[in-house]
Amino acid sequence: MPRVRGKQYQQTTALDLHTGNRESDVATNQPPVTVAMLFQIPAVRSPSTPSPPSSSSSCSSPSPRNPPRRSPRSRMESNAMVWFRKGLRIHDNPALDHARRGGCARLFPVFVLDPRYLEPDPTAFSPGSARSGLNRIRFLLDSLADLDSALRSLGSRLLLLRGEPAPLICRVLKDWNIGKLCFEFDTEPYSLARDKQVSDFASASGIQVFSPVSHTLFNPADIIEKNGGRAPLTYQSFVALAGKPPEPLSVTYHELPPVGDTGEYQLLSVPKIEELGYGDISQEEFSPFRGGESEALRRLKESLKDKEWVAKFEKPKGDPSAFLKPATTLLSPYLKFGCLSSRYFYQCLHDIYKSVGKHTSPPVSLAGQLLWRDFFYTVAFGTPNFDCMRGNKICKQVPWRDDEELLVAWREGQTGYPWIDAIMIQLKKWGWVHHLARHSVACFLTRGDLFIHWEKGRDVFERLLIDSDWAINNGNWLWLSCSSFFYQYYRIYSPISFGKKYDPNGNYIRHFLPVLKDMPNEYIYEPWTAPLSVQKKARCIIGKDYPKPVVDHDIASKECRKKMAEAYASNHSGENVPSGRSSNVLRRKLQNENREGSPPTNSKQRKKH
DNA sequence: ATGTAAGTTGTGTTA
DNA sequence: CTAACACAACTTACA
């Protein structure tokens, strides 16, 4: 049964709908306007029937040094907290907007530095924490600093705490006499569990909880409900169900309520990366992309300036080898952290479409990309064990090979295929590569060449990408490995010719793999075929300065194709033994084989019964 | 129920 | 330079 917990967080319709004043620069001081849209959460549990969950035990004992001051109820309701996690922005932020409303005397804007994401892990394969490379950590810190400065310009500030988020939030809710807690609804499993602890505690303590859906265009739970309780598994059916997304909030603030007394809690200023314990780690090249809402809105404006480009955008036509001027907007990391509202972005795009007239449409258009994002969020929300093969009902069960050496070669950009390796180096250095470049390396690792588990590749991307987003990253690995959504496993990206058609001279390779920079054009994609004299002249001996190919693509890809065919034929999906449906498929498949003159099987007997 | 159409993004050859 | 096609044949959604 799909999780539809978010269903209880239903959207209500607009109050005081406002449609004017749409500037690209939402940070300018426009006259405050009314709420365009409001989300409401019904009471999760009546305070009169508190049944604290077992997990809340850690929450219910406030610090002895900060005993909760029991205040009159009216006093409690005058303090509000907005808890930032994603949604690191001021614009289109329903949680923030709700927090400062309703006679809020003191507003506590909080972010908790979670050791799960920030604690240095020296055993990881690259600098960073167990889950995140340094580039994304830095992006987060940028975003927090920008959020803090935006809040300060409104007479507030970001209250930065450090520790395990759920117990810590529960403690400060008590100690700061918070009457109203507002945070953006988050669909990821880790977040759902964390937020349930906090919501349960808050409700049991009589604290009002407001948890709007504002990270995505739509509420995934609504889409799933509309589809009869199951997530739609094709983009088209998703789009048909989704309809038009709600408009963003268009409220501008001159001032926010002041921050209240934070007692003895030590408030951190946004740390530098060195202060998190990464001081002694040197990374040769940092991502050129800086985090934060200001940068997001600047980039958005920049991207949308060329209306013709926006109107003609077609995703599959982008050039994955473009790196001086990437072929896409590069807004994905800002969407991931919520520095940019997807609803605001969507609205800007539609304003342009209206003004230009002729434009591309989903799935290939820019707006279509935002719908893809929502598609994966929806399926991820409605699919238990979405992030693994076992126990995932929509995932093909494939006997992937376990080969640490090949995995490391892929991860470190040492496969001997310059196109693949250059992409992996760009990923490591920049934390970003073009969509089609991701396809190339994901296909190569899984069904195309190495036949290694998509979960292994997923882990590497999750760590290194600054835009790594749980639903989207897993969704795309399922897609590229032909484990779900996409099944044409005989379509394999060539690690040689795919890049060549965009960048025949190999400029991209030369940039990210300088060891190959003097290799002649005709060998740049297949340097192992260069005569030794050429290798010497290029000062790059294959097998010494740059590796020989770890597999022969022609042979490996054929083997992979065969293994995929076998895996598909055995037709196990999820943890099910073949069900009625899949044995049906198997029967038909066998029949087809009979028609083509294969030896008879028992399928005919089966059919008669 | 069985058949059919369609599916964001393959390669390599031929016209 | 672009388009059509073979290659070999998957799944979901829907009639």
PDB file of all heavy atoms in Angstrom, chain C residues 1-12:
ATOM      1  P    DC C   1      27.344  18.859 -42.544  1.00  0.00           P
ATOM      2  OP1  DC C   1      28.243  19.955 -42.245  1.00  0.00           O
ATOM      3  OP2  DC C   1      27.677  17.493 -42.081  1.00  0.00           O
ATOM      4  O5'  DC C   1      25.890  19.137 -41.987  1.00  0.00           O
ATOM      5  C5'  DC C   1      25.167  20.318 -42.243  1.00  0.00           C
ATOM      6  C4'  DC C   1      23.729  19.935 -42.486  1.00  0.00           C
ATOM      7  O4'  DC C   1      23.658  19.037 -43.622  1.00  0.00           O
ATOM      8  C3'  DC C   1      23.089  19.195 -41.309  1.00  0.00           C
ATOM      9  O3'  DC C   1      21.814  19.757 -41.039  1.00  0.00           O
ATOM     10  C2'  DC C   1      22.960  17.754 -41.793  1.00  0.00           C
ATOM     11  C1'  DC C   1      22.835  17.925 -43.300  1.00  0.00           C
ATOM     12  N1   DC C   1      23.354  16.740 -44.047  1.00  0.00           N
ATOM     13  C2   DC C   1      22.518  16.079 -44.956  1.00  0.00           C
ATOM     14  O2   DC C   1      21.369  16.504 -45.134  1.00  0.00           O
ATOM     15  N3   DC C   1      22.996  14.995 -45.614  1.00  0.00           N
ATOM     16  C4   DC C   1      24.237  14.579 -45.412  1.00  0.00           C
ATOM     17  N4   DC C   1      24.648  13.518 -46.082  1.00  0.00           N
ATOM     18  C5   DC C   1      25.106  15.233 -44.493  1.00  0.00           C
ATOM     19  C6   DC C   1      24.634  16.296 -43.835  1.00  0.00           C
ATOM     20  P    DT C   2      20.979  19.255 -39.787  1.00  0.00           P
ATOM     21  OP1  DT C   2      20.288  20.446 -39.252  1.00  0.00           O
ATOM     22  OP2  DT C   2      21.828  18.431 -38.909  1.00  0.00           O
ATOM     23  O5'  DT C   2      19.899  18.318 -40.467  1.00  0.00           O
ATOM     24  C5'  DT C   2      18.991  18.870 -41.412  1.00  0.00           C
ATOM     25  C4'  DT C   2      18.097  17.762 -41.913  1.00  0.00           C
ATOM     26  O4'  DT C   2      18.900  16.803 -42.662  1.00  0.00           O
ATOM     27  C3'  DT C   2      17.396  16.976 -40.800  1.00  0.00           C
ATOM     28  O3'  DT C   2      16.001  17.019 -41.057  1.00  0.00           O
ATOM     29  C2'  DT C   2      17.984  15.562 -40.899  1.00  0.00           C
ATOM     30  C1'  DT C   2      18.474  15.500 -42.343  1.00  0.00           C
ATOM     31  N1   DT C   2      19.631  14.597 -42.616  1.00  0.00           N
ATOM     32  C2   DT C   2      19.532  13.658 -43.625  1.00  0.00           C
ATOM     33  O2   DT C   2      18.537  13.510 -44.318  1.00  0.00           O
ATOM     34  N3   DT C   2      20.661  12.880 -43.801  1.00  0.00           N
ATOM     35  C4   DT C   2      21.840  12.951 -43.084  1.00  0.00           C
ATOM     36  O4   DT C   2      22.780  12.207 -43.328  1.00  0.00           O
ATOM     37  C5   DT C   2      21.872  13.960 -42.045  1.00  0.00           C
ATOM     38  C7   DT C   2      23.095  14.114 -41.218  1.00  0.00           C
ATOM     39  C6   DT C   2      20.785  14.731 -41.854  1.00  0.00           C
ATOM     40  P    DA C   3      14.961  16.247 -40.176  1.00  0.00           P
ATOM     41  OP1  DA C   3      13.682  16.980 -40.232  1.00  0.00           O
ATOM     42  OP2  DA C   3      15.576  15.910 -38.881  1.00  0.00           O
ATOM     43  O5'  DA C   3      14.800  14.897 -41.015  1.00  0.00           O
ATOM     44  C5'  DA C   3      14.427  14.959 -42.377  1.00  0.00           C
ATOM     45  C4'  DA C   3      14.148  13.558 -42.866  1.00  0.00           C
ATOM     46  O4'  DA C   3      15.412  12.869 -43.076  1.00  0.00           O
ATOM     47  C3'  DA C   3      13.351  12.703 -41.883  1.00  0.00           C
ATOM     48  O3'  DA C   3      12.419  11.953 -42.626  1.00  0.00           O
ATOM     49  C2'  DA C   3      14.415  11.819 -41.228  1.00  0.00           C
ATOM     50  C1'  DA C   3      15.421  11.651 -42.359  1.00  0.00           C
ATOM     51  N9   DA C   3      16.805  11.423 -41.935  1.00  0.00           N
ATOM     52  C8   DA C   3      17.506  12.075 -40.953  1.00  0.00           C
ATOM     53  N7   DA C   3      18.740  11.663 -40.814  1.00  0.00           N
ATOM     54  C5   DA C   3      18.871  10.668 -41.780  1.00  0.00           C
ATOM     55  C6   DA C   3      19.943   9.837 -42.143  1.00  0.00           C
ATOM     56  N6   DA C   3      21.146   9.871 -41.567  1.00  0.00           N
ATOM     57  N1   DA C   3      19.732   8.944 -43.146  1.00  0.00           N
ATOM     58  C2   DA C   3      18.534   8.913 -43.730  1.00  0.00           C
ATOM     59  N3   DA C   3      17.447   9.647 -43.479  1.00  0.00           N
ATOM     60  C4   DA C   3      17.693  10.518 -42.474  1.00  0.00           C
ATOM     61  P    DA C   4      11.273  11.133 -41.924  1.00  0.00           P
ATOM     62  OP1  DA C   4       9.992  11.481 -42.571  1.00  0.00           O
ATOM     63  OP2  DA C   4      11.447  11.232 -40.466  1.00  0.00           O
ATOM     64  O5'  DA C   4      11.681   9.668 -42.375  1.00  0.00           O
ATOM     65  C5'  DA C   4      11.971   9.400 -43.732  1.00  0.00           C
ATOM     66  C4'  DA C   4      12.559   8.015 -43.842  1.00  0.00           C
ATOM     67  O4'  DA C   4      13.951   8.047 -43.414  1.00  0.00           O
ATOM     68  C3'  DA C   4      11.855   6.979 -42.952  1.00  0.00           C
ATOM     69  O3'  DA C   4      11.576   5.842 -43.744  1.00  0.00           O
ATOM     70  C2'  DA C   4      12.864   6.686 -41.851  1.00  0.00           C
ATOM     71  C1'  DA C   4      14.195   6.970 -42.536  1.00  0.00           C
ATOM     72  N9   DA C   4      15.281   7.387 -41.645  1.00  0.00           N
ATOM     73  C8   DA C   4      15.248   8.349 -40.666  1.00  0.00           C
ATOM     74  N7   DA C   4      16.382   8.521 -40.040  1.00  0.00           N
ATOM     75  C5   DA C   4      17.233   7.603 -40.642  1.00  0.00           C
ATOM     76  C6   DA C   4      18.592   7.291 -40.424  1.00  0.00           C
ATOM     77  N6   DA C   4      19.345   7.878 -39.512  1.00  0.00           N
ATOM     78  N1   DA C   4      19.133   6.318 -41.199  1.00  0.00           N
ATOM     79  C2   DA C   4      18.367   5.729 -42.130  1.00  0.00           C
ATOM     80  N3   DA C   4      17.089   5.942 -42.417  1.00  0.00           N
ATOM     81  C4   DA C   4      16.574   6.907 -41.632  1.00  0.00           C
ATOM     82  P    DC C   5      10.689   4.647 -43.191  1.00  0.00           P
ATOM     83  OP1  DC C   5       9.915   4.106 -44.314  1.00  0.00           O
ATOM     84  OP2  DC C   5      10.022   5.080 -41.943  1.00  0.00           O
ATOM     85  O5'  DC C   5      11.820   3.601 -42.803  1.00  0.00           O
ATOM     86  C5'  DC C   5      12.699   3.136 -43.812  1.00  0.00           C
ATOM     87  C4'  DC C   5      13.784   2.320 -43.159  1.00  0.00           C
ATOM     88  O4'  DC C   5      14.659   3.191 -42.441  1.00  0.00           O
ATOM     89  C3'  DC C   5      13.243   1.313 -42.134  1.00  0.00           C
ATOM     90  O3'  DC C   5      13.487  -0.001 -42.599  1.00  0.00           O
ATOM     91  C2'  DC C   5      14.006   1.603 -40.863  1.00  0.00           C
ATOM     92  C1'  DC C   5      15.154   2.484 -41.331  1.00  0.00           C
ATOM     93  N1   DC C   5      15.619   3.472 -40.312  1.00  0.00           N
ATOM     94  C2   DC C   5      16.958   3.478 -39.932  1.00  0.00           C
ATOM     95  O2   DC C   5      17.737   2.680 -40.458  1.00  0.00           O
ATOM     96  N3   DC C   5      17.371   4.361 -39.000  1.00  0.00           N
ATOM     97  C4   DC C   5      16.493   5.215 -38.454  1.00  0.00           C
ATOM     98  N4   DC C   5      16.956   6.067 -37.549  1.00  0.00           N
ATOM     99  C5   DC C   5      15.124   5.221 -38.833  1.00  0.00           C
ATOM    100  C6   DC C   5      14.727   4.346 -39.753  1.00  0.00           C
ATOM    101  P    DA C   6      12.694  -1.201 -41.878  1.00  0.00           P
ATOM    102  OP1  DA C   6      11.972  -1.964 -42.912  1.00  0.00           O
ATOM    103  OP2  DA C   6      11.990  -0.734 -40.666  1.00  0.00           O
ATOM    104  O5'  DA C   6      13.968  -2.038 -41.412  1.00  0.00           O
ATOM    105  C5'  DA C   6      15.072  -2.204 -42.293  1.00  0.00           C
ATOM    106  C4'  DA C   6      16.268  -2.689 -41.484  1.00  0.00           C
ATOM    107  O4'  DA C   6      16.796  -1.585 -40.707  1.00  0.00           O
ATOM    108  C3'  DA C   6      15.938  -3.805 -40.488  1.00  0.00           C
ATOM    109  O3'  DA C   6      16.989  -4.758 -40.521  1.00  0.00           O
ATOM    110  C2'  DA C   6      15.869  -3.085 -39.142  1.00  0.00           C
ATOM    111  C1'  DA C   6      16.866  -1.944 -39.339  1.00  0.00           C
ATOM    112  N9   DA C   6      16.546  -0.734 -38.569  1.00  0.00           N
ATOM    113  C8   DA C   6      15.335  -0.108 -38.453  1.00  0.00           C
ATOM    114  N7   DA C   6      15.363   0.968 -37.715  1.00  0.00           N
ATOM    115  C5   DA C   6      16.687   1.059 -37.307  1.00  0.00           C
ATOM    116  C6   DA C   6      17.367   1.986 -36.497  1.00  0.00           C
ATOM    117  N6   DA C   6      16.783   3.042 -35.933  1.00  0.00           N
ATOM    118  N1   DA C   6      18.684   1.782 -36.292  1.00  0.00           N
ATOM    119  C2   DA C   6      19.270   0.728 -36.860  1.00  0.00           C
ATOM    120  N3   DA C   6      18.742  -0.210 -37.641  1.00  0.00           N
ATOM    121  C4   DA C   6      17.422   0.022 -37.825  1.00  0.00           C
ATOM    122  P    DC C   7      16.736  -6.190 -39.893  1.00  0.00           P
ATOM    123  OP1  DC C   7      17.629  -7.119 -40.589  1.00  0.00           O
ATOM    124  OP2  DC C   7      15.289  -6.467 -39.791  1.00  0.00           O
ATOM    125  O5'  DC C   7      17.292  -5.978 -38.417  1.00  0.00           O
ATOM    126  C5'  DC C   7      18.688  -5.684 -38.226  1.00  0.00           C
ATOM    127  C4'  DC C   7      18.910  -5.194 -36.822  1.00  0.00           C
ATOM    128  O4'  DC C   7      18.386  -3.866 -36.687  1.00  0.00           O
ATOM    129  C3'  DC C   7      18.165  -5.989 -35.739  1.00  0.00           C
ATOM    130  O3'  DC C   7      19.043  -6.944 -35.179  1.00  0.00           O
ATOM    131  C2'  DC C   7      17.808  -4.926 -34.690  1.00  0.00           C
ATOM    132  C1'  DC C   7      18.311  -3.629 -35.299  1.00  0.00           C
ATOM    133  N1   DC C   7      17.405  -2.465 -35.059  1.00  0.00           N
ATOM    134  C2   DC C   7      17.895  -1.361 -34.369  1.00  0.00           C
ATOM    135  O2   DC C   7      19.071  -1.355 -33.994  1.00  0.00           O
ATOM    136  N3   DC C   7      17.059  -0.327 -34.125  1.00  0.00           N
ATOM    137  C4   DC C   7      15.798  -0.371 -34.540  1.00  0.00           C
ATOM    138  N4   DC C   7      15.035   0.680 -34.261  1.00  0.00           N
ATOM    139  C5   DC C   7      15.284  -1.485 -35.248  1.00  0.00           C
ATOM    140  C6   DC C   7      16.111  -2.511 -35.479  1.00  0.00           C
ATOM    141  P    DA C   8      18.476  -8.406 -34.937  1.00  0.00           P
ATOM    142  OP1  DA C   8      19.657  -9.266 -34.674  1.00  0.00           O
ATOM    143  OP2  DA C   8      17.509  -8.776 -35.979  1.00  0.00           O
ATOM    144  O5'  DA C   8      17.687  -8.226 -33.575  1.00  0.00           O
ATOM    145  C5'  DA C   8      18.349  -7.762 -32.422  1.00  0.00           C
ATOM    146  C4'  DA C   8      17.306  -7.437 -31.374  1.00  0.00           C
ATOM    147  O4'  DA C   8      16.525  -6.325 -31.842  1.00  0.00           O
ATOM    148  C3'  DA C   8      16.328  -8.588 -31.132  1.00  0.00           C
ATOM    149  O3'  DA C   8      16.091  -8.713 -29.751  1.00  0.00           O
ATOM    150  C2'  DA C   8      15.076  -8.173 -31.876  1.00  0.00           C
ATOM    151  C1'  DA C   8      15.152  -6.656 -31.812  1.00  0.00           C
ATOM    152  N9   DA C   8      14.532  -6.014 -32.967  1.00  0.00           N
ATOM    153  C8   DA C   8      14.479  -6.439 -34.264  1.00  0.00           C
ATOM    154  N7   DA C   8      13.846  -5.621 -35.069  1.00  0.00           N
ATOM    155  C5   DA C   8      13.467  -4.589 -34.241  1.00  0.00           C
ATOM    156  C6   DA C   8      12.760  -3.402 -34.468  1.00  0.00           C
ATOM    157  N6   DA C   8      12.302  -3.045 -35.665  1.00  0.00           N
ATOM    158  N1   DA C   8      12.554  -2.591 -33.419  1.00  0.00           N
ATOM    159  C2   DA C   8      13.025  -2.944 -32.217  1.00  0.00           C
ATOM    160  N3   DA C   8      13.694  -4.018 -31.871  1.00  0.00           N
ATOM    161  C4   DA C   8      13.883  -4.809 -32.948  1.00  0.00           C
ATOM    162  P    DA C   9      15.154  -9.861 -29.242  1.00  0.00           P
ATOM    163  OP1  DA C   9      15.915 -10.499 -28.159  1.00  0.00           O
ATOM    164  OP2  DA C   9      14.608 -10.647 -30.360  1.00  0.00           O
ATOM    165  O5'  DA C   9      13.949  -9.058 -28.606  1.00  0.00           O
ATOM    166  C5'  DA C   9      14.241  -7.951 -27.776  1.00  0.00           C
ATOM    167  C4'  DA C   9      13.020  -7.109 -27.663  1.00  0.00           C
ATOM    168  O4'  DA C   9      12.816  -6.311 -28.841  1.00  0.00           O
ATOM    169  C3'  DA C   9      11.716  -7.903 -27.483  1.00  0.00           C
ATOM    170  O3'  DA C   9      11.215  -7.594 -26.232  1.00  0.00           O
ATOM    171  C2'  DA C   9      10.780  -7.357 -28.551  1.00  0.00           C
ATOM    172  C1'  DA C   9      11.435  -6.041 -28.882  1.00  0.00           C
ATOM    173  N9   DA C   9      11.113  -5.539 -30.210  1.00  0.00           N
ATOM    174  C8   DA C   9      11.129  -6.200 -31.406  1.00  0.00           C
ATOM    175  N7   DA C   9      10.764  -5.454 -32.419  1.00  0.00           N
ATOM    176  C5   DA C   9      10.489  -4.220 -31.841  1.00  0.00           C
ATOM    177  C6   DA C   9      10.048  -3.002 -32.364  1.00  0.00           C
ATOM    178  N6   DA C   9       9.795  -2.815 -33.655  1.00  0.00           N
ATOM    179  N1   DA C   9       9.877  -1.975 -31.518  1.00  0.00           N
ATOM    180  C2   DA C   9      10.129  -2.163 -30.215  1.00  0.00           C
ATOM    181  N3   DA C   9      10.547  -3.246 -29.600  1.00  0.00           N
ATOM    182  C4   DA C   9      10.710  -4.252 -30.478  1.00  0.00           C
ATOM    183  P    DC C  10      10.069  -8.278 -25.500  1.00  0.00           P
ATOM    184  OP1  DC C  10      10.541  -9.617 -25.127  1.00  0.00           O
ATOM    185  OP2  DC C  10       8.801  -8.118 -26.242  1.00  0.00           O
ATOM    186  O5'  DC C  10       9.969  -7.391 -24.177  1.00  0.00           O
ATOM    187  C5'  DC C  10      11.129  -7.237 -23.381  1.00  0.00           C
ATOM    188  C4'  DC C  10      11.148  -5.839 -22.825  1.00  0.00           C
ATOM    189  O4'  DC C  10      11.364  -4.885 -23.884  1.00  0.00           O
ATOM    190  C3'  DC C  10       9.829  -5.411 -22.215  1.00  0.00           C
ATOM    191  O3'  DC C  10       9.769  -5.884 -20.893  1.00  0.00           O
ATOM    192  C2'  DC C  10       9.943  -3.912 -22.272  1.00  0.00           C
ATOM    193  C1'  DC C  10      10.708  -3.669 -23.558  1.00  0.00           C
ATOM    194  N1   DC C  10       9.875  -3.270 -24.738  1.00  0.00           N
ATOM    195  C2   DC C  10       9.367  -1.969 -24.791  1.00  0.00           C
ATOM    196  O2   DC C  10       9.611  -1.200 -23.859  1.00  0.00           O
ATOM    197  N3   DC C  10       8.619  -1.592 -25.847  1.00  0.00           N
ATOM    198  C4   DC C  10       8.372  -2.457 -26.827  1.00  0.00           C
ATOM    199  N4   DC C  10       7.629  -2.031 -27.879  1.00  0.00           N
ATOM    200  C5   DC C  10       8.874  -3.793 -26.804  1.00  0.00           C
ATOM    201  C6   DC C  10       9.609  -4.153 -25.743  1.00  0.00           C
ATOM    202  P    DT C  11       8.361  -6.324 -20.306  1.00  0.00           P
ATOM    203  OP1  DT C  11       8.635  -7.067 -19.076  1.00  0.00           O
ATOM    204  OP2  DT C  11       7.517  -6.902 -21.366  1.00  0.00           O
ATOM    205  O5'  DT C  11       7.720  -4.921 -19.927  1.00  0.00           O
ATOM    206  C5'  DT C  11       8.357  -4.093 -18.959  1.00  0.00           C
ATOM    207  C4'  DT C  11       7.699  -2.726 -19.024  1.00  0.00           C
ATOM    208  O4'  DT C  11       7.728  -2.300 -20.397  1.00  0.00           O
ATOM    209  C3'  DT C  11       6.237  -2.744 -18.615  1.00  0.00           C
ATOM    210  O3'  DT C  11       6.154  -2.125 -17.347  1.00  0.00           O
ATOM    211  C2'  DT C  11       5.512  -1.927 -19.651  1.00  0.00           C
ATOM    212  C1'  DT C  11       6.555  -1.579 -20.699  1.00  0.00           C
ATOM    213  N1   DT C  11       6.151  -1.936 -22.087  1.00  0.00           N
ATOM    214  C2   DT C  11       5.610  -0.955 -22.882  1.00  0.00           C
ATOM    215  O2   DT C  11       5.415   0.186 -22.497  1.00  0.00           O
ATOM    216  N3   DT C  11       5.277  -1.361 -24.151  1.00  0.00           N
ATOM    217  C4   DT C  11       5.449  -2.630 -24.690  1.00  0.00           C
ATOM    218  O4   DT C  11       5.125  -2.875 -25.856  1.00  0.00           O
ATOM    219  C5   DT C  11       6.016  -3.613 -23.800  1.00  0.00           C
ATOM    220  C7   DT C  11       6.233  -5.014 -24.280  1.00  0.00           C
ATOM    221  C6   DT C  11       6.344  -3.229 -22.558  1.00  0.00           C
ATOM    222  P    DT C  12       4.764  -2.201 -16.577  1.00  0.00           P
ATOM    223  OP1  DT C  12       5.099  -1.967 -15.176  1.00  0.00           O
ATOM    224  OP2  DT C  12       3.991  -3.386 -16.988  1.00  0.00           O
ATOM    225  O5'  DT C  12       4.015  -0.930 -17.162  1.00  0.00           O
ATOM    226  C5'  DT C  12       4.581   0.366 -16.975  1.00  0.00           C
ATOM    227  C4'  DT C  12       3.677   1.378 -17.650  1.00  0.00           C
ATOM    228  O4'  DT C  12       3.602   1.081 -19.066  1.00  0.00           O
ATOM    229  C3'  DT C  12       2.239   1.368 -17.122  1.00  0.00           C
ATOM    230  O3'  DT C  12       1.893   2.709 -16.847  1.00  0.00           O
ATOM    231  C2'  DT C  12       1.422   0.763 -18.261  1.00  0.00           C
ATOM    232  C1'  DT C  12       2.259   1.080 -19.491  1.00  0.00           C
ATOM    233  N1   DT C  12       2.198   0.104 -20.615  1.00  0.00           N
ATOM    234  C2   DT C  12       1.975   0.551 -21.899  1.00  0.00           C
ATOM    235  O2   DT C  12       1.798   1.728 -22.165  1.00  0.00           O
ATOM    236  N3   DT C  12       1.973  -0.417 -22.863  1.00  0.00           N
ATOM    237  C4   DT C  12       2.172  -1.772 -22.674  1.00  0.00           C
ATOM    238  O4   DT C  12       2.146  -2.550 -23.617  1.00  0.00           O
ATOM    239  C5   DT C  12       2.398  -2.187 -21.304  1.00  0.00           C
ATOM    240  C7   DT C  12       2.622  -3.640 -20.992  1.00  0.00           C
ATOM    241  C6   DT C  12       2.398  -1.248 -20.353  1.00  0.00           C
TER     242       DT C  12
END
